[in-house]
Amino acid sequence: MKNISAFGKYIIFITRVFSKPEKTKIYLQQTIREIESLGINSIGIVIIISIFIGAVITLQTRYNLESSWIPLYLIGLTARDTILLEFSSTMVGLILAGKVGSNIASEIGHMRITEQIDALEMMGINSASYLILPKILATMVFNPILTIISMVVGIFGGWMACIVTGALASSDYIYGIQYWFIPFYITYALVKTVVYAFIITSVTSFHGYYVQGGALEVGRCSTRGVVYSSILILLADVVLTQLMLA
Amino acid sequence: MIEVEHLYKSFAGVNVLEDISVTFERGKTNLIIGRSGSGKTVLMKCIVGLHEADRGAVIFDDRNFVEMSFTGRKELRKEMGMMFQGGALFDSLSVEENVIFPLNLFTKMPYDEKRERANICLKRVNLDNVNKLYPGELSGGMKKRVAIARAIVQNPKYLFCDEPNSGLDPKTALVIDDLISEITHDYSITTVVNTHDMNSVMEIGEKVVFIHQGFKCWEGTREEILDSDNEYLNDFVFASNFAKKIKSLTSKNS
Ligand SMILES: Nc1ncnc2c1ncn2[C@@H]1O[C@H](COP(=O)(O)OP(=O)(O)OP(=O)(O)O)[C@@H](O)[C@H]1O
Ligand SMILES: [Mg+2]
C-alpha cells in the first residue's frame, strides 16, 4: 500500500517536472551547468573503472578458455561483446547511480530542509521543474557519451592486459574485437543508458525532494535513492534486454 | 487584504492549528506573536500554501487561494514576497545573484537595471560591500537581511516575514522593523510578520494576533496589549520578572 502511494506521488512529481518551463533560456543555461557537474566530472571515474574491468574481463575469458580447439581470437570477441552489451551500460549505470545519484539526492534534500525549495515556490517558480528537469536532460544527453567512452577505454584496457601479461597475442585480440561485429549492440547499450539516466536522476531527486527533517534524513534519503535506482536499473535491464534482443 | 477563515492544520493526527480566523489588512503591518512552537510558522506557511491546510479558506483580495489550481497559485505567488526564518538563500549564488534571481525569471529588464534594483534593495537593509559574498560567508543576521532584500525586490503586494529580527542586535532589529513598516506604508502592501520580540510589537504592531498552542487567543492593537487582561497574553508579554514588576508598579500608580 505504501509503495503504491509512493509510486503515485512519483508520477505526480514527474508530471510536475515535465510541465512547461518558465524561461527556456535559463533552463538551457542550467542544463549546461549540470552537464558539467554531473557529466564531465564523472569522466575520470568511468575511465579508471573501464580500463580495469576491460582488462579483467579479457584475462578471465582467457583463463577460462584453456582448451586448444577454441580459436584464440574468440577471447577478443567475447571481451568486446561483454563490454558493449553489459558492462559499459549497466555496470557504469550502477556506478553512476552511486556517484551522481547520491550527489543529486543530497543536494535537493539539503535545499528542501533549508527551505530553499519553499523559497523557489514562493517566487512563483515550479521548483520541481526548475531544479530537476535540467538534471534529467543533462544526464540523458551526457551519459551516452560516458558509455561510449567506457566502451572504447574498456576494450583498450583488455588490449593493455594482453600486452602486459602476455596472456594473449595482441594480433589475436585485435582480430577478435573486429570479428563479427554487430552494430546493433551499441544502439542497445545506448538505449539502456538513456533509460538508466532517467531512472537515476528522477528517482534520487524524488527522494531528495520529499525529505523531511534534518541532516540525518538527508543522508538516509540519499542512500535510499541510490538503492532504489540501482534495483530499478537492474529491472529495466531485464525488460529492455527481452524487448530488444529476443 | 488577506482573510483567513476557520483554518485547521494537523500533522500526523496532532493538531497544530485550530479554527484560526483572522484578517490581515492592507497598508498595515500585521503581527503574529506567540511562544516558540505555538504554530506561527505553520500558520504563515498555510496562508501561502506551502503547507496544505486541512480545512478552511485563505482569501487574497477576493481570490480563494486554497481552491486554486497549481498554475493559479503560481501566478498569485508572483505577487508575494516571503522571508524565511532561516533565510533560505540559494547556497550556490552570491548575495547579489540571490537578490537578482526573481528578476531574472520574471522580468525582461536589462542586466544593469536588475543590478541597480538589487543594490537599492540591499542598501535598504543596510548591506554594503557584500554583493560578491556567498551565503556561507555571511553572519546569521546578514543572511536575514539579504532574504528581506530578495523578498522585496519584485515589489510584492503581500509581504511575509518569519521572524525577521530574531538573532539580530537591538539596533539592527530596529532598522529592519522600521524598514518593514516603511515599505508597507510606502507601497500600501499587506504585510504579515511572525515575531516573539516585544520590541517589534511595540514598534510596528499596528495589528497584533496572539497565537497560543494553535488557537487564536487574542487580537488587537499594540496599545491595547498592555491593558489586556488575557491571562496567556500577559504571561507572554510580561514574561520576565522585571516586566511583571513594572506592570504592577504602573498599575498601582494609575
Ligand atoms: N512538518 C512538520 N511536521 C510535524 N510537525 C510539525 C511540522 N512543522 C511544525 N510542526 C509542529 O508544529 C508546531 C508549531 O511549529 P511552528 O514551527 O509553527 O512554531 P513557531 O511558532 O514558528 O515557533 P518558533 O518561534 O520557534 O519558530 C510545533 O509543535 C512543531 O513540532
Ligand atoms: Mg517559526
Side-chain angles (χ1 to χ4, degrees), chain B residues 100-156:
Chain B
I100 289 181
F101 187 87
L103 299 178
N104 271 342
L105 273 144
F106 300 118
T107 65
K108 290 201 161 59
M109 280 186 203
Y111 181 68
D112 285 337
E113 201 177 315
K114 284 190 275 195
R115 269 192 61 178
E116 198 176 313
R117 174 102 193 100
N119 280 323
I120 292 172
C121 294
L122 284 169
K123 279 238 168 59
R124 285 201 89 153
V125 291
N126 280 359
L127 282 175
D128 282 315
N129 300 323
V130 295
N131 292 30
K132 297 284 168 253
L133 296 183
Y134 283 83
E137 301 166 318
L138 300 178
S139 75
M142 287 159 102
K143 280 185 201 158
K144 294 209 164 188
R145 285 186 276 160
V146 177
I148 294 181
R150 187 177 67 182
I152 59 176
V153 75
Q154 282 204 91
N155 288 327

Side-chain angles (χ1 to χ4, degrees), chain A residues 171-200:
Chain A
S171 57
D172 281 334
Y173 184 78
I174 289 175
Y175 181 72
I177 58 176
Q178 293 168 322
Y179 185 76
W180 206 5
F181 171 64
I182 303 174
F184 180 70
Y185 284 1
I186 297 204
T187 317
Y188 160 76
L190 293 183
V191 168
K192 288 205 294 184
T193 304
V194 172
V195 173
Y196 298 160
F198 179 80
I199 291 176
I200 295 169

Side-chain angles (χ1 to χ4, degrees), chain A residues 16 19-20 22-23 26-27 33 110-111 114-126 130, chain B residues 45 48 50 70 74 77-78 80 82 84-86 88-91 101-102 104-107 150:
Chain A
R16 202 166 278 188
S19 55
K20 192 174 162 292
E22 327 283 339
K23 219 176 183 182
I26 289 187
Y27 275 63
R33 213 168 287 163
H110 174 77
M111 291 189 78
T114 54
E115 298 180 317
Q116 292 177 47
I117 291 184
D118 288 342
L120 283 173
E121 288 288 324
M122 278 311 296
M123 292 172 190
I125 296 166
N126 176 349
Y130 177 80
Chain B
K45 287 194 173 175
V48 301
L50 291 173
F70 181 66
K74 237 173 58 181
R77 284 215 178 115
K78 291 178 188 168
M80 303 181 197
M82 179 157 178
F84 289 84
Q85 200 163 350
L89 300 177
F90 303 125
D91 296 318
F101 187 87
N104 271 342
L105 273 144
F106 300 118
T107 65
R150 187 177 67 182

